[in-house]
Amino acid sequence: MDARQLKIEAARAALAHVGDGVRLGIGTGSTAEEFVRLLAERVRDGLACVGVPTSERTAALCRELGVPLAALDEMPELDLTVDGADEIDPALSLIKGGGGALLREKIVAAASARMIVIADRSKLVETLGRFPLPIEVNRFGLEATRRAIVKASARLGLNVVPTLRMTDGEPFVTDGGHFILDASFGRIPDTRALSDALHAIPGVVEHGLFLGLADLAIVAGNAGVETISAIR
């Protein structure tokens, strides 16, 4: 199967966890979009659900396909979030934010009773860090924040040169109006320590380490679909 078909199979397996009346957080990215397309088919067949999208891009697709939506302020407690990931380790710690929606994705995931991650097997890693970690930052004081990230990382024995994410020659701007610095660590031995260090920097709005949020990973490969439960 090609990469898109693997994403579709993972999304299809996740849809089996979506019951009637569910309050559903809906993720962002190419795998989440396949989930939205399958969800829309179920909605047309009579499934009753309300979704909270994690980005304007996801919201637009849901409206186009007829998936009912609500704002998180209207429905602040969710039953389930289904979202993709850029990396997944054996404890179901994640790197997310390749699509630039990490802040809203984390808020929605934290408001959910359960989170299911859907991906193809290429996203499985032994240690997080191969994928550059997205760090959402305030525009004000960008260089000061970048230098603080470098110093905080160095104290943990990590060498990194954060780069400003660009699109069409201009800085990428998130739905929240912030910039993203992508930090290529290569390997992050202590994700909790790095998470705490980044959160302590005033200019950091949020980062793409999702720790203790995912309950289940549904991963598709050429040999089939595998379900991995979190070990707490």
Side-chain angles (χ1 to χ4, degrees):
M1 287 187 283
D2 63 18
R4 185 187 175 198
Q5 190 58 44
L6 292 175
K7 294 173 182 179
I8 291 171
E9 292 308 312
R12 193 187 316 278
L15 196 56
H17 294 263
V18 178
D20 213 43
V22 72
R23 299 167 297 177
L24 182 65
I26 305 175
T28 295
S30 58
T31 309
E33 287 176 5
E34 300 299 347
F35 175 78
V36 171
R37 293 186 179 95
L38 293 171
L39 177 65
E41 293 177 9
R42 287 279 307 279
V43 169
R44 287 193 292 272
D45 289 340
L47 175 71
C49 70
V50 180
V52 171
T54 56
S55 67
E56 298 303 324
R57 174 177 167 178
T58 295
L61 181 61
C62 287
R63 292 189 189 103
E64 176 187 339
L65 298 178
V67 175
L69 296 180
L72 188 58
D73 282 339
E74 298 170 320
M75 198 166 60
E77 294 184 353
L78 305 177
D79 302 304
L80 173 66
T81 284
V82 177
D83 203 349
D86 299 301
E87 284 190 344
I88 307 168
D89 79 3
L92 300 195
S93 295
L94 316 172
I95 285 182
K96 289 179 50 54
L102 63 104
L103 175 60
R104 294 190 183 185
E105 287 175 334
K106 192 173 283 190
I107 292 171
V108 169
S112 302
R114 297 175 67 222
M115 180 186 188
I116 294 177
V117 183
I118 51 177
D120 63 82
R121 285 196 62 83
S122 70
K123 305 300 196 247
L124 295 178
V125 296
E126 284 300 316
T127 304
L128 298 181
R130 182 181 63 194
F131 190 91
L133 177 67
I135 305 171
E136 189 161 345
V137 298
N138 201 293
R139 298 194 205 193
F140 178 80
L142 174 65
E143 179 57 20
T145 300
R146 190 193 69 79
R147 292 186 182 203
I149 291 169
V150 171
K151 291 177 182 177
S153 301
R155 287 194 291 270
L156 297 174
L158 299 171
N159 295 316
V160 69
V161 180
T163 59
L164 181 64
R165 186 177 298 186
M166 305 290 288
T167 302
D168 298 327
E170 297 291 333
F172 175 87
V173 180
T174 69
D175 286 344
H178 306 120
F179 289 159
I180 288 183
L181 293 171
D182 289 308
S184 296
F185 291 99
R187 187 172 183 273
I188 307 172
D190 190 338
T191 53
R192 180 59 64 185
L194 180 59
S195 173
D196 292 343
L198 293 175
H199 277 147
I201 298 170
V204 171
V205 179
E206 192 49 87
H207 57 70
L209 288 171
F210 281 53
L211 310 179
L213 288 171
D215 298 282
L216 206 67
I218 297 177
V219 181
N222 287 325
V225 176
E226 178 184 4
T227 299
I228 307 168
S229 298
I231 300 173
R232 300 287 189 237

